[in-house]
Amino acid sequence: MTGPDHGLDHATTIKISTNATQYFVESYYAALNTRQEPLSSFYITPCAMSGGKFLPSISFNGEQIRNATVLQARFEDQISAAYYEVKSYDSHVVNPNYVAEGTGGWPAKTGKNMTILAAVSGCVKFGNIDEAKQRGFSETFLLIPNPVAAANKQRAKDVKEWLIQTQNFRIVV
């Protein structure tokens, strides 16, 4: 069956969103664990919305974080080390036809215009990996097409195809 809005069959849509989520999860949590890549590279460019709200919207255990730079500073200043172990993730297409402003989007057949809801769960240790208590975590992301990638219509190695617009992290008790 072909979707009415984007011309892709259901199986293709699932495959694209699952592959995008898998790549995101592997690279994002590797960046958190190794701190070798700036977190800001995973997020949309900060912007103000009407009503005084900001994007990206980042919630860390119920606390609103202004942007990815502030989140990274928090990790560097308050958390000496972290080790995330993802146990499971799931993805759902939220909008099959999101077109980043000013880009014209990707050709519909690529499936790269979709926004994706990614739900991730696993365990995390903060501090000394050998001594820290392992805690469960749950995290939800809304991933949107990267306007830089969409504008260029080509995949550069260092350009991510989807970026975080919204994130909600929770430690599970």
Side-chain angles (χ1 to χ4, degrees):
M1 181 164 84
T2 300
D5 297 322
H6 52 83
L8 297 174
D9 63 59
H10 186 66
T12 301
T13 300
I14 290 171
K15 182 177 180 179
I16 291 168
S17 65
T18 301
N19 289 345
T21 300
Q22 178 180 0
Y23 178 79
F24 167 77
V25 165
E26 289 171 356
S27 58
Y28 183 76
Y29 290 99
L32 286 173
N33 287 342
T34 64
R35 300 187 183 188
Q36 293 179 354
E37 184 173 5
L39 291 181
S40 60
S41 70
F42 290 91
Y43 293 82
I44 63 170
T45 301
C47 62
M49 296 175 45
S50 61
K53 294 187 179 188
F54 292 90
L55 291 177
S57 174
I58 304 170
S59 175
F60 192 84
N61 268 340
E63 178 185 353
Q64 284 299 121
I65 307 293
R66 177 76 180 235
N67 58 46
T69 303
V70 173
L71 180 64
Q72 181 149 354
R74 163 107 15 116
F75 273 91
E76 291 170 355
D77 297 343
Q78 297 179 12
I79 302 171
S80 60
Y83 177 72
Y84 288 82
E85 183 180 349
V86 173
K87 299 289 188 178
S88 66
Y89 63 88
D90 194 13
S91 64
H92 301 278
V93 175
V94 176
N95 179 352
N97 284 319
Y98 178 89
V99 177
E101 188 175 328
T103 66
W106 291 89
K109 66 181 178 185
T110 66
K112 294 179 181 177
N113 291 328
M114 65 179 71
T115 58
I116 302 167
L117 180 69
V120 182
S121 62
C123 299
V124 62
K125 291 182 178 184
F126 295 117
N128 183 316
I129 302 304
D130 295 326
E131 298 172 9
K133 178 182 174 187
Q134 184 170 310
R135 305 190 63 191
F137 77 90
S138 175
E139 196 155 22
T140 306
F141 301 91
L142 181 62
L143 305 174
I144 66 169
N146 181 347
V148 171
N152 294 336
K153 302 284 190 284
Q154 28 184 303
R155 175 90 197 256
K157 184 178 180 185
D158 60 341
V159 176
K160 294 168 180 62
E161 291 181 345
W162 277 271
L163 298 175
I164 301 167
Q165 182 183 54
T166 304
Q167 173 182 11
N168 184 0
F169 172 87
R170 285 285 189 187
I171 291 290
V172 179
V173 180

